[in-house]
Amino acid sequence: MAVSVTWDLSDLYAGVDDPKLTADLEALEERARRFAESYRGRIASLAPAEFAAALSEYELLGRDQQFPGAYAQLLFCADSLNPRHGALLQQVQEHEVAIGRNLLFFTLESVAIPDDRFAELLEHPSVANYRHYLEHIRSERPHRLTEPEERILMEKSLTGRAAFQRLFDETLSAATFRLTVDGQTTELTLSELLSKLYEPERSVREAAAASLTEGLRERARLFTYIANTLAHDKAVDDRLTHYDHAEAARHLSDEVETATVHTMLDACVAHFDTVARYYRLKREILGLDTLYHYDRYAPMLPEEGTLPWEEACTLVVDSYARFTPRLGEMAQRFFTERWVDAEVRPGKRGGAFCMGIAPGQHPYVLMNYLGRKRDVLTLAHELGHGIHDLLASEQPFLEYHPSLAAAETASVFGEMLTFDALLRQEMPSRERLSLLCNQLEDIFATVFRQTAMYRFEQRLHAARREKGELVAEQIGALWQEAMQAMFGDSVVMGEGHRDWWMYIPHFIHTPFYVYAYAFGQLLVIALYARYQQEGDAFVPRYLEILSAGGSRRPADLMALAGIDISRRQFWEDGLQVVDGLVTRAEEVWREVQATP
Ligand SMILES: [Zn+2]
């Protein structure tokens, strides 16, 4: 299904060789240089009014820098085959590095301001407006070392942690896996191999799984050594910087309480039977006696019918408008003012994203529309991000972008509004079942799988700290146990699955990050449950959350809607929605069976 919907970037710059672009970059570099000249080394001794002026100039520099950066990114994503787009992106990035070098001191020195001095600065009204931002960057203060110590850690990390991370990446991207199907052997990259787990033919999936296991086992010694080294490196870092448990640094930087994260995870674990129920249903739909780990992604039903672009737009806009007309109007602007690029063409980036640039400047959405139902949901998702950005426009630039845990608040919510609208449409039962199953598998991948992976990481780090270096079998046993707990008896995690922890990059690059996927998604499902309970009364409170942008911690944001995310019941309500979807899928499956 071809759509010729492209965006109009002319309100940023006139074109790739608009002279204003280079002029803007040079002016920014000059301003950053003067900023450093005026303030470097003096932040802690500035009078409140001077600090307010410095902060405001720092913010403006950050904001103005977004425009050339965004323009170059958007051009490149829209058409990377044009060599001038790559050259522009490179040029802009080099300027950004030069600007950044002159701005870095501001954050470092602001973090180092003694507490009593900082309290005085906050008495100035225009500094007080940035209280959340400043407190956030200063929250790591108790974990900061002296400057020379920090410098040594940073310099040595290139040959320490970063070197092992790179070794992992390079090993995995260079790895090929031998797949033998019907006597034919081919060499595949990891992502090519993983895509074979989605094949309808069971023997192909089984062979792909065996090939993955074999390829990982060949490199098991290396991957195990990297995992051990990084776990130990983290333990050393945590000890030196006074973090009392392995997850603490991650939660602090994400502005969430560890206790709240654990409440969310515990609630998910208590609902693992939802996952098991679904996979028992899937086994039945597939007509299999036993569901093995390589059957998890098996496609169940033929691809549903497609939806023309105009119908998709109307459906999404109407879904937002049914929630409240204001959001419908905002969604409509993306189409009438050409903020969306939906055409599929060579050289364009795959997937989808929404780029929010700065308050006062509208966002842009890129996607590749093929007319499938999941494309309609992607459109709803990205427009949700866009609406979030538009509403947050009343915030200053430094408080504009929502924090990680709240970043999906509007996108997933909009997706759910649209999903409900899709479900209400007339369609054959098989299509409805397919829609429900796709949605459920997406939710499971984000909520439950990430929960299980987080529990694996907790155990891995604890075991490394207690027992010293671990062998591959020990790590594999922790992995197998964490994953099996999620599936219960619905899926048999074969022996081969034991080594599949080895290729997950999050464990290597951003320890304990995976919770954020589960947290963000379940938070929104729970908000959606609240909306279903409260109806229209919920609307203004929800809009207040979105309008706050990144100006509050996630817990304080949700408190705006009277929600306490530290309470188990809040998360339970979200999990009930997921459970209800499984029940619905079971009902529709009975309808399908009853249809001749
Ligand atoms: Zn998103």
Side-chain angles (χ1 to χ4, degrees), residues 153 161 232-243:
L153 281 184
R161 180 169 56 240
H232 185 51
D233 180 77
K234 179 159 175 44
V236 172
D237 267 3
D238 284 345
R239 174 168 54 76
L240 293 175
T241 52
H242 321 294
Y243 283 106

Side-chain angles (χ1 to χ4, degrees), residues 352-354 381-382 385 407-409 411-412 415:
F353 66 78
C354 170
H381 181 104
E382 299 308 334
H385 281 300
E408 301 297 334
T409 308
S411 56
V412 173
E415 212 182 308

Side-chain angles (χ1 to χ4, degrees), residues 132-133 255 395 399 401-403 406 544-545 547-560:
H132 164 263
Y133 168 76
E255 303 185 87
Q395 297 298 331
E399 306 272 29
H401 289 292
S403 70
E544 204 183 335
I545 293 178
S547 308
S551 65
R552 286 178 164 83
R553 299 161 52 85
D556 300 337
L557 266 183
M558 297 306 144
L560 288 173

Side-chain angles (χ1 to χ4, degrees), residues 203-505:
S203 60
V204 177
R205 297 196 304 268
E206 190 176 358
S211 161
L212 177 59
T213 302
E214 183 193 299
L216 293 174
R217 282 194 181 154
E218 282 168 16
R219 299 165 179 90
R221 185 190 283 272
L222 178 64
F223 286 139
T224 305
Y225 185 66
I226 294 174
N228 270 293
T229 305
L230 290 173
H232 185 51
D233 180 77
K234 179 159 175 44
V236 172
D237 267 3
D238 284 345
R239 174 168 54 76
L240 293 175
T241 52
H242 321 294
Y243 283 106
D244 59 5
H245 58 97
E247 303 144 69
R250 162 66 41 209
H251 297 158
L252 185 72
S253 96
D254 294 349
E255 303 185 87
V256 294
E257 303 294 330
T258 296
T260 301
V261 173
H262 288 182
T263 300
M264 183 274 299
L265 293 168
D266 290 347
C268 287
V269 172
H271 281 261
F272 274 171
D273 63 314
T274 304
V275 181
R277 258 178 74 208
Y278 173 76
Y279 281 95
R280 280 195 285 272
L281 174 68
K282 178 156 188 169
R283 181 183 60 74
E284 210 181 305
I285 297 174
L286 288 171
L288 298 172
D289 288 335
T290 307
L291 204 65
Y292 287 99
H293 64 279
Y294 49 77
D295 295 321
R296 277 177 291 169
Y297 307 113
M300 287 181 285
L301 304 146
E303 267 297 319
E304 354 61 86
T306 56
L307 214 66
W309 170 251
E310 289 71 24
E311 281 180 38
C313 298
T314 309
L315 185 81
V316 172
V317 170
D318 288 353
S319 303
Y320 278 111
R322 192 174 296 117
F323 178 73
T324 173
R326 186 170 168 211
L327 292 196
E329 285 156 26
M330 284 181 157
Q332 184 58 48
R333 290 186 69 189
F334 281 79
F335 305 117
T336 36
E337 302 186 36
R338 294 186 56 203
W339 300 344
V340 181
D341 195 301
E343 186 181 55
V344 180
R345 55 176 182 266
K348 177 173 165 177
R349 214 195 92 147
F353 66 78
C354 170
M355 186 186 285
I357 298 169
Q361 170 64 42
H362 67 80
Y364 290 92
V365 165
L366 176 144
M367 72 168 299
N368 291 273
Y369 189 78
L370 292 168
R372 300 163 304 183
K373 296 230 165 55
R374 74 175 64 121
D375 297 323
V376 181
L377 294 174
T378 301
L379 176 64
H381 181 104
E382 299 308 334
L383 287 192
H385 281 300
I387 287 169
H388 200 167
D389 291 332
L390 290 176
L391 284 167
S393 262
E394 58 196 61
Q395 297 298 331
F397 175 66
L398 293 175
E399 306 272 29
Y400 170 62
H401 289 292
S403 70
L404 182 70
E408 301 297 334
T409 308
S411 56
V412 173
F413 198 91
E415 212 182 308
M416 296 194 67
L417 289 169
T418 304
F419 178 73
D420 277 355
L422 273 174
L423 266 191
R424 277 194 299 270
Q425 289 189 334
E426 278 297 315
M427 67 182 91
S429 299
R430 287 192 82 81
E431 250 182 64
R432 193 178 307 282
L433 183 59
S434 164
L435 185 63
L436 279 160
C437 291
N438 286 337
Q439 183 73 358
L440 276 166
E441 291 192 19
D442 281 353
I443 293 176
F444 289 167
T446 324
V447 176
F448 294 111
R449 181 171 157 82
Q450 309 299 327
T451 297
M453 297 212 290
Y454 191 87
R455 288 180 8 123
F456 162 71
E457 271 189 297
Q458 285 176 316
R459 285 159 197 189
L460 170 67
H461 284 270
R464 177 63 186 81
R465 287 175 189 206
E466 283 159 23
K467 300 179 186 151
E469 185 145 325
L470 305 167
V471 296
E473 288 70 24
Q474 284 171 299
I475 303 179
L478 298 176
W479 169 254
Q480 200 78 334
E481 194 186 296
M483 286 303 171
Q484 189 72 68
M486 172 176 79
F487 288 111
D489 60 4
S490 65
V491 175
V492 175
M493 312 308 285
E495 184 50 34
H497 179 266
R498 186 174 292 271
D499 298 298
W500 288 21
W501 58 272
M502 291 183 197
Y503 74 89
I504 314 271

